[in-house]
Amino acid sequence: MILTGRAVLLVALGLAALALTGLPEYLLAWGVACLAVFLVDWLLTPAPSRLVVQRAPLGSVRLSQQARTRLTVTNPGRRTVRGMLRDAWQPSAGARPNRHALLLPPGESVRLTTRLHPTRRGHRSTDWVTVRLTGPLRLTSRQFSAPVAGVLRVLPEFRSRRHLPSRLARLREMDGRAAVNVRGPGTEFDSLREYVQGDDVRAIDWRATARRQELVVRTWRPERDRRILVVVDTSRLAAARLGGEPRLDAQIEAALLLTALATSAGDRVDLVAVDAQVRARASEHKGPAALSAVAEALGPLDARLVEPDWPLVARLVRGTLSQRGLVVVLTAIEPAALESGLLDVVAALAGTHQVLVAGALDPGATALTRARAEVADLFTAAAAEQAGAERAEVARLLRTGGTRVLECAPEELAPGVADAYLALKAAGRL
């Protein structure tokens, strides 16, 4: 039994009467009368456990978007129910408002909508649905809680989408739809067209010219259906906060933009997220379905405070790519990479595949090198400069083994990886 504000007011009236009359017997009688009224009101309150509560299926939503969850409440009893329903979720689901008033006649149903404003990606789940019904005198309430399953899949925000149109325009130029291509490494035959003044005479197709009785030239485009494997490091290196977000978020944005761009170019993208073990995989998808699969795989990922297993990455690459392809490793380019074996693994992969190692730099470290106000700042700046020199040495060693290395600010990592992919494709190195 739960007492409402009206019940408290009713008891307070008895205390006020006692203060005026000064008769203790009156207080005892008033208390017995209140208890009797409360008991009658509670017995007349419908049981909230008899209500039927169902939740509509939930889909997925991006982190910057809003979602709605709908509950259908049915009253199978013979009396009207009134009260309050609370649809509880994880705090990061951002359910507000999650309390709904109930006034449901017998045999009827009502739909209640809760807006969700998620603040974290991943799977956001429900807590409990609590129903509190008040009696006809509104002096007491009955309460019942039960789990009503519901999971909202919150996908990464994909802020780097704004860089996609400009990269697609460059891709169309490379693909021959906005400019003429010349045959070279990494190209394949596209189509035949009439000769125009200025074309390379070596591109003339003499057989087609003989058939048409006019000069015809071949056009070429970058090879399609290339294999790309994106390796996302989810170890302790990805847990470092760069600005207001972990390094893993910048790596996820880079993986999404590269997937969207490469699938538009007709290439095939596979993804694996790994630290000491494989955390997520996305493969065997082409076209627009590849981006959805990658987003679904990356959505629930969180960095783990473990060391990366780079020999495991090497085995995954060899098991996934049976022919030459592009391997994009999204990790931190730190001196610790030498101890964990990144250098040896990347050098071995570079002999078979084109390897790109991309990492996001800490903006705070750059700011530390510029601090000169106090004597203590000089020591801090010297330490930051030394750390930068060690990272530069790691990058130099990676380049010596034939690996392409990219280091940039977190917000520039995604477009930087996309530009590196376009440069490799234009050079015919995929």
Side-chain angles (χ1 to χ4, degrees):
M1 180 186 294
I2 302 173
L3 299 181
T4 65
R6 289 190 177 190
V8 175
L9 181 59
L10 185 61
V11 174
L13 290 176
L15 295 176
L18 174 63
L20 293 176
T21 61
L23 298 175
E25 299 82 1
Y26 178 81
L27 178 60
L28 179 60
W30 185 259
V32 172
C34 288
L35 288 177
V37 172
F38 295 162
L39 182 59
V40 171
D41 189 54
W42 183 79
L43 292 175
L44 294 177
T45 304
S49 59
R50 297 187 60 189
L51 295 179
V52 179
V53 183
Q54 297 176 325
R55 188 184 302 276
L58 286 167
S60 58
V61 65
R62 294 202 177 274
L63 182 58
S64 58
Q65 299 174 346
Q66 299 181 7
R68 294 181 179 180
T69 176
R70 291 182 174 86
L71 290 174
T72 301
V73 184
T74 304
N75 178 15
R78 299 180 179 179
R79 287 181 292 173
T80 299
V81 298
R82 60 172 56 87
M84 189 71 64
L85 180 143
R86 178 175 181 263
D87 186 11
W89 284 73
Q90 288 179 270
S92 56
R96 58 180 187 271
N98 65 346
R99 288 175 169 83
H100 308 278
L102 278 179
L103 181 58
L104 198 56
E108 294 192 6
S109 300
V110 65
R111 283 187 177 181
L112 305 176
T113 301
T114 302
R115 296 180 181 272
L116 303 176
H117 308 76
T119 58
R120 291 181 59 189
R121 54 181 172 77
H123 292 169
R124 306 296 100 191
S125 59
T126 59
D127 190 0
W128 292 84
V129 172
T130 302
V131 179
R132 178 180 293 183
L133 300 183
T134 57
L137 300 179
R138 301 186 184 180
L139 297 175
T140 61
S141 300
R142 286 187 175 187
Q143 182 170 302
F144 178 77
S145 298
V148 181
V151 176
L152 176 68
R153 298 192 305 274
V154 184
L155 305 180
E157 187 175 356
F158 196 12
R159 295 188 301 269
S160 57
R161 184 191 295 271
R162 65 182 184 274
H163 300 291
L164 188 58
S166 60
R167 272 64 185 181
L168 289 177
R170 290 172 54 186
L171 182 63
R172 285 192 292 269
E173 294 178 1
M174 293 170 48
D175 205 23
R177 282 173 279 181
V180 176
N181 279 302
V182 180
R183 182 179 184 180
T187 60
E188 61 183 7
F189 175 73
D190 183 23
S191 61
L192 298 172
R193 63 168 175 80
E194 295 181 2
Y195 175 87
V196 296
Q197 188 173 2
D199 284 338
D200 190 344
V201 295
R202 292 173 296 179
I204 297 177
D205 189 319
W206 295 108
R207 292 186 179 180
T209 297
R211 291 195 301 269
R212 296 190 184 184
Q213 299 299 313
E214 59 182 0
L215 288 177
V216 177
V217 296
R218 299 187 185 97
T219 59
W220 308 88
R221 68 182 182 191
E223 288 183 314
R224 298 187 176 185
D225 201 23
R226 300 292 91 189
R227 295 295 303 274
I228 301 173
L229 176 60
V230 182
V231 179
V232 179
D233 178 16
T234 59
S235 68
R236 64 176 183 83
L237 300 175
R241 299 194 70 84
L242 310 182
E245 297 180 344
R247 178 180 278 117
L248 179 60
D249 286 5
Q251 297 174 177
I252 288 175
E253 289 290 330
L256 291 173
L257 182 60
L258 178 60
T259 301
L261 182 61
T263 53
S264 299
D267 293 335
R268 177 178 168 182
V269 180
D270 298 325
L271 176 134
V272 58
V274 61
D275 40 63
Q277 64 185 62
V278 178
R279 300 296 178 183
R281 300 193 71 161
S283 60
E284 303 299 331
H285 295 280
K286 294 183 178 180
L291 182 60
S292 299
V294 169
E296 290 279 356
L298 294 175
L301 284 184
D302 288 311
R304 306 295 182 96
L305 299 182
V306 296
E307 292 294 333
D309 187 350
W310 294 114
L312 172 61
V313 173
R315 294 194 296 271
L316 290 172
V317 172
R318 296 190 181 99
T320 304
L321 301 180
S322 57
Q323 58 185 3
R324 179 177 175 82
L326 172 63
V327 180
V328 181
V329 182
L330 300 173
T331 184
I333 302 176
E334 300 285 349
L338 298 178
E339 301 176 2
S340 60
L342 172 64
L343 189 62
D344 296 336
V345 169
V346 167
L349 293 177
T352 308
H353 307 284
Q354 176 64 53
V355 181
L356 168 64
V357 178
L361 294 173
D362 185 1
T366 305
L368 291 176
T369 61
R370 301 171 182 171
R372 299 291 190 273
E374 303 291 340
V375 175
D377 295 338
L378 297 177
F379 290 95
T380 303
E385 290 286 359
Q386 181 179 358
E390 292 174 351
R391 289 196 304 271
E393 177 63 16
V394 174
R396 186 191 68 80
L397 293 175
L398 289 172
R399 293 188 180 98
T400 302
T403 301
R404 192 181 183 104
V405 179
L406 173 66
E407 288 185 284
C408 52
E411 63 275 7
E412 298 174 359
L413 182 63
V417 170
D419 291 339
Y421 162 75
L422 291 175
L424 291 171
K425 197 171 185 65
R429 297 178 62 183
L430 297 186

